[in-house]
Amino acid sequence: DTGVSQNPRHKITKRGQNVTFRCDPISEHNRLYWYRQTLGQGPEFLTYFQNEAQLEKSRLLSDRFSAERPKGSFSTLEIQRTEQGDSAMYLCASSPNWLDTQYFGPGTRLTVL
Amino acid sequence: AQKITQTQPGMFVQEKEAVTLDCTYDTSDQSYGLFWYKQPSSGEMIFLIYQGSYDEQNATEGRYSLNFQKARKSANLVISASQLGDSAMYFCAMRDYSGRGGGNKLTFGTGTQLKVEL
């Protein structure tokens, strides 16, 4: 049984470029979550999906951010027109259902130059 | 709004000794869940232990136990017989039931960096 996987593990980009991250949850996990973690802080919630439906978005998720989970399996997080303040670790987690424990992937570390 | 406070930025413990990592929380919810995660330098958040607010017994998972004191709103993690591999960042988190679909998003503290020494 494989865990949550995320790709790429590291991404370096220039300010103004678009980036896309992918998350593959644990098989048959209905819930998928995205968090952002900046240096010295705990993860902060961004958004989550129940199957393909995006149920909630944090105020942290500006208009430049969009997340999808088109077939209820993998998810993508896109950041348009990146800014230096977007530099962070982006973590994905999944859980079987509503109240179950969330299991995290290894994260994608984004550096915006 | 929920809040998690971890007041120990860093802790040192000698190998084979026990260590307690502090966590206090604030919530107006009657029903809530508390988690501890471990984050090694590789970045992955590893689930350690869970305590429900209505659980009468303190949770235990191997060398990990959660000292849950509801009246004091504290949920301290106790690691017994520390090992070098326990060196990592440890986060306390609370489940938030609010929001569409019942939530289950997590609110994290700022973490405690644990260093296990020989």
Side-chain angles (χ1 to χ4, degrees), chain B residues 10-11 13 15 33 38 42-43 86 99 107-108 111-112:
Chain B
M11 290 280 287
V13 65
E15 195 181 21
K38 171 184 177 182
S42 58
D86 293 334
T107 299
F108 286 85
T112 296

Side-chain angles (χ1 to χ4, degrees), chain B residues 2-116:
Chain B
Q2 299 185 330
K3 185 176 180 181
I4 296 286
T5 302
Q6 295 181 255
T7 58
Q8 306 156 313
M11 290 280 287
F12 290 90
V13 65
Q14 290 213 315
E15 195 181 21
K16 300 180 186 177
E17 297 292 311
V19 63
T20 298
L21 306 184
D22 294 341
C23 172
T24 58
Y25 59 90
D26 190 21
T27 181
S28 56
D29 295 337
Q30 296 299 309
S31 180
Y32 50 88
L34 295 156
F35 298 80
W36 278 91
Y37 284 86
K38 171 184 177 182
Q39 188 176 42
S41 56
S42 58
E44 182 174 355
M45 300 284 284
I46 301 168
F47 166 70
L48 295 178
I49 196 166
Y50 166 78
Q51 179 84 41
S53 57
Y54 291 116
D55 294 341
E56 295 184 354
Q57 302 277 344
N58 284 344
T60 59
E61 289 285 349
R63 295 186 299 111
Y64 304 107
S65 61
L66 201 153
N67 184 2
F68 182 48
Q69 298 187 42
K70 196 170 182 177
R72 298 181 62 183
K73 293 190 174 181
S74 74
N76 299 338
L77 177 70
V78 180
I79 305 174
S80 63
S82 297
Q83 302 172 356
L84 295 177
D86 293 334
S87 295
M89 189 71 120
Y90 289 80
F91 289 95
C92 180
M94 171 178 283
R95 168 185 284 150
D96 183 350
Y97 291 106
S98 66
R100 185 178 163 203
N104 197 27
K105 57 184 180 284
L106 297 174
T107 299
F108 286 85
T110 52
T112 296
Q113 181 72 48
L114 177 66
K115 175 73 173 175
V116 181

Side-chain angles (χ1 to χ4, degrees), chain A residues 13-71:
Chain A
T13 191
K14 293 182 179 179
R15 186 164 54 93
Q17 297 294 306
N18 299 343
V19 294
T20 300
F21 311 140
R22 175 176 170 131
C23 171
D24 287 88
I26 295 171
S27 179
E28 298 183 357
H29 277 199
N30 293 325
R31 289 236 167 169
L32 187 147
Y33 307 80
W34 284 99
Y35 292 83
R36 182 175 72 184
Q37 185 179 21
T38 53
L39 205 59
Q41 300 297 316
E44 296 172 291
F45 169 77
L46 292 178
T47 188
Y48 77 91
F49 293 83
Q50 171 78 30
N51 298 314
E52 65 275 7
Q54 187 174 18
L55 295 186
E56 188 173 346
K57 295 191 290 186
S58 161
R59 287 170 296 178
L60 294 175
L61 220 62
S62 74
D63 292 344
R64 297 184 297 105
F65 288 71
S66 63
E68 293 183 339
R69 194 182 183 197
K71 296 183 179 180

Side-chain angles (χ1 to χ4, degrees), chain A residues 38-109:
Chain A
T38 53
L39 205 59
Q41 300 297 316
E44 296 172 291
F45 169 77
L46 292 178
T47 188
Y48 77 91
F49 293 83
Q50 171 78 30
N51 298 314
E52 65 275 7
Q54 187 174 18
L55 295 186
E56 188 173 346
K57 295 191 290 186
S58 161
R59 287 170 296 178
L60 294 175
L61 220 62
S62 74
D63 292 344
R64 297 184 297 105
F65 288 71
S66 63
E68 293 183 339
R69 194 182 183 197
K71 296 183 179 180
S73 56
F74 71 91
S75 175
T76 58
L77 178 68
E78 180 183 15
I79 309 174
Q80 296 182 327
R81 304 181 304 281
T82 52
E83 302 172 356
Q84 288 186 325
D86 297 331
S87 295
M89 174 79 91
Y90 290 83
L91 293 162
C92 176
S94 70
S95 66
N97 282 300
W98 173 39
L99 288 181
D100 295 315
T101 297
Q102 294 177 36
Y103 295 92
F104 284 78
T108 294
R109 185 170 294 283

